Amino acid sequence: MQHKTIDAPQATRHAQETRLSGNMGVGELVMNVLAFSSPLATVAGTLPVLLMFSGQTAPAIYVLITLMLLMFSVGFVKMSRSVKGPGGFYSFVTAGLGKPAGLGGAFLALFGYMFIGFFAPSFFGVTLNGFVMNSLNGPDVPWYWYALGIIAVTTLLAYNRIDLSAKVLTVVMLLEVAVVVVFDIASFSANGMEAVQGAVFALPSLGDATLGLALLFAVGNFFGFEATVIYRDEVKNPDRTIPRATYIAVVGIGLFYALAAWAFIAFLGPDNVQAAAESNTVNLFNDAVAALVGKIFADIAVVLLITSVLACMLSIQNIAARYSFALARDHALPTVLGRVHPKHKSPFVSALAVGVIWGAATVVFTILGVAPDVLYPIASGSGTFAVLLLMFITSFAVLVYFLRRRSFAPESIWKSIIAPLVSVIFLGVITYLAITNYPELIGGSALLTVIFMSFTFALFFGGIFYALFLRSKRPNVYARLGRQNVD
């Protein structure tokens, strides 16, 4: 019998053709993470909501969540050195809890990111149409045309090599950060030292009825730092780049939003900020910027808010495409989604698939007459819950993984036991708060709560049952799950 052999150069060439590739450094990777949270959109949209719930305790809440997510990052970074696959939480859950739970986690991730990203087209359409009509005296173009336009743009960028997306995101993020920094400086300078001293660092009370919602809204601003491991094959020196980018992203995001919240408090006054946020939630940031810096700068901020949504959507589309790619490479999804572009080394088919799904959903909801202001809270809220649930499962998987290894590969107790255990408790509490406050999270009714929450849990358990089916009927596919290095 003759055996077909593959020489080393041919094997190397095959591996290069079937792997993603890029050349991102720490800075570009951090900007990809920051883009996910859409800093300007967060400061203008989410932060006023948080202030409405928390008042002058908002900066302390951001600092608390930063500390807790640093605990998560300790185990996360440690795990990234042991689990080399670029599958993100999918790989981590598989390594810690097994292939069935890993596939369930992957379905949660793909659904969650697809839904979080789908909030952007409708939000972009409404925001851009309002700016064109009110500031430019332009025509009233239906929001869905703008929505389809941004889907086309982000899909084109996601189709290309990741370095192109990284450059676009870096430029947009620097401009956004500059706008918020100008707002911070102007706010702290408006009333001199009295404003800074008056905005004391107030700690939240555990008895505050709105503390749970405040924590829930704030923790969502940190989502996306999982991208540091998803892009493992597309960064320079991943063992050094990933840990640095992870810690910089978590600390940077926390301090950035804590200072922005403090700037609101300094401008509006600690005793007035909660009432002001309640009465003027939508325009709180724009009105504050106009009063502090002028109308022209406020208009510039609106333009950058529009580009901020584009950057956020592009970041999410890149992550969703890589989850689809990882699952397709493991044969859990159609293998065509696992194709690598020969020139760009990008998951181009998966990127196109995400764009097509978003575009089709926009058309369907438009035909059904669903208003855009109904779409984006449901999309972002349900997606946020799915990713939060996945983070909790991942934190538990990290703890279990290192507990199992202690008998034959002892690790630092702090990195492998204490920090992961603290993150399990913290994310467990946040997940419980998300479940109990789900109607507020999606801005929907009790019926929508039952539908979307049931669907979210069904995704995870459906992934488990699908994996068990593969183990029984297609063991060769089951063996691949969670192993992105397998061709």
Side-chain angles (χ1 to χ4, degrees), residues 121-349:
S122 55
F123 183 77
F124 177 86
V126 171
T127 304
L128 182 55
N129 186 47
F131 178 74
V132 169
M133 289 178 58
N134 300 326
S135 298
L136 303 180
N137 295 318
D140 182 7
V141 178
W143 68 271
Y144 47 83
W145 290 116
Y146 290 124
L148 293 173
I150 191 178
I151 291 172
V153 171
T154 59
T155 300
L156 177 63
L157 291 170
Y159 178 95
N160 281 270
R161 187 177 174 90
I162 188 62
D163 298 352
L164 176 60
S165 293
K167 288 179 172 62
V168 172
L169 293 175
T170 298
V171 172
V172 175
M173 287 305 99
L174 290 175
L175 291 172
E176 287 185 50
V177 169
V179 168
V180 177
V181 169
V182 169
F183 163 69
D184 292 347
I185 295 173
S187 179
F188 290 131
S189 304
N191 298 312
M193 286 301 298
E194 292 182 5
V196 179
Q197 293 171 351
V200 294
F201 192 76
L203 295 174
S205 170
L206 293 177
D208 191 343
T210 59
L211 176 60
L213 279 171
L215 287 169
L216 188 55
F217 274 89
V219 78
N221 299 152
F222 291 80
F223 285 178
F225 68 87
E226 177 200 2
T228 57
V229 291
I230 287 178
Y231 295 121
R232 168 173 279 276
D233 287 345
E234 299 166 88
V235 300
K236 294 180 288 190
N237 195 353
D239 285 339
R240 184 164 55 184
T241 298
I242 289 172
R244 289 181 179 179
T246 300
Y247 288 123
I248 291 173
V250 172
V251 174
I253 289 171
L255 294 179
F256 181 80
Y257 291 134
L259 282 173
W262 200 14
F264 271 115
I265 296 167
F267 175 66
L268 297 169
D271 297 328
N272 301 322
V273 63
Q274 194 161 6
E278 289 177 359
S279 62
N280 190 28
T281 309
V282 175
N283 296 311
L284 190 69
F285 178 73
N286 287 345
D287 290 351
V289 169
L292 289 166
V293 191
K295 180 68 166 59
I296 294 177
F297 189 83
D299 288 340
I300 294 173
V302 172
V303 173
L304 290 175
L305 172 62
I306 293 169
T307 59
S308 171
V309 177
L310 185 149
C312 171
M313 187 173 164
L314 175 59
S315 175
I316 296 170
Q317 187 164 2
N318 278 327
I319 294 175
R322 278 151 184 80
Y323 263 109
S324 172
F325 172 83
L327 286 167
R329 292 299 307 279
D330 290 350
H331 294 191
L333 289 179
T335 55
V336 67
L337 295 170
R339 291 181 60 187
V340 177
H341 195 282
K343 176 183 177 182
H344 303 302
K345 300 301 179 184
S346 62
F348 72 109
V349 178

